[in-house]
Amino acid sequence: MVERTLAIIKPDAVERRHVGSIISRIEAAGFQIRAMRRMALSKQDAEGFYAVHKARPFFGSLTSFMSSGPVVVLVLEAPDAIRTWRTLMGATDPAKADAGTLRKEFAESIERNATHGSDAPETAAYEIGYFFAGVELS
Ligand code: CMP
């Protein structure tokens, strides 16, 4: 089934100029990019986006990191997009990520881990709406 997911290229990867490499990998993997924006998240934006992690000990640090510099947010479309994008990203912790995954190649640490992807259809709908509300996805 054709599906959509939200992807974020995080501040660590933008700062280190990995945006082009990551987008090339996205297209090579067969995704259509339905929407894309480069933007700076405020601390409040990051807290809203990651509200599900509010009780976690890393919440403050994560939201500071995510608002520390620009990000690139994308809507990716493909059959089984959520699972396919998570497989391409690799494990959250780059030390545990498989060879050939984006996080193995580009991530610095479990927090500064280069990319984000939605984890379920309901999350994808929420996350796409968070950044692209009212935007027609062509
Ligand atoms: P992401 O896929 O965006 O989802 C939640 C984020 O929290 C995750 O990537 C990491 O950036 C961060 N994260 C998850 N676990 C930890 C942890 N143990 N310590 C610090 N940051 C974490």
Side-chain angles (χ1 to χ4, degrees), residues 10 50 53 58 62 92 103 110-113 115-117:
K10 296 188 180 186
Y50 280 119
H53 295 304
F58 55 80
L62 171 64
T92 305
R103 283 168 169 162
I110 192 166
E111 179 172 276
R112 299 171 67 86
N113 64 352
T115 56
H116 166 83

Side-chain angles (χ1 to χ4, degrees), residues 14-36:
V14 174
E15 185 184 348
R16 296 198 292 155
R17 303 182 191 202
H18 294 315
V19 173
S21 302
I22 292 173
I23 289 176
S24 291
R25 297 278 294 275
I26 286 170
E27 292 195 315
F31 290 100
Q32 291 288 350
I33 297 171
R34 289 289 174 215
M36 179 163 72

Side-chain angles (χ1 to χ4, degrees), residues 85-100:
W85 173 235
R86 291 177 71 80
T87 301
L88 180 59
M89 287 194 297
T92 305
D93 182 353
K96 296 180 181 155
D98 289 338

Side-chain angles (χ1 to χ4, degrees), residues 48-111:
F49 181 77
Y50 280 119
V52 66
H53 295 304
K54 211 171 187 166
R56 304 285 190 97
F58 55 80
F59 183 71
S61 169
L62 171 64
T63 52
S64 292
F65 160 58
M66 289 298 290
S67 54
S68 68
V71 297
V72 176
V73 287
L74 309 96
V75 177
L76 306 182
E77 185 178 277
D80 206 12
I82 294 170
R83 193 181 59 81
T84 306
W85 173 235
R86 291 177 71 80
T87 301
L88 180 59
M89 287 194 297
T92 305
D93 182 353
K96 296 180 181 155
D98 289 338
T101 62
L102 296 174
R103 283 168 169 162
K104 185 71 175 181
E105 193 170 341
F106 298 117
E108 293 176 38
S109 68
I110 192 166
E111 179 172 276

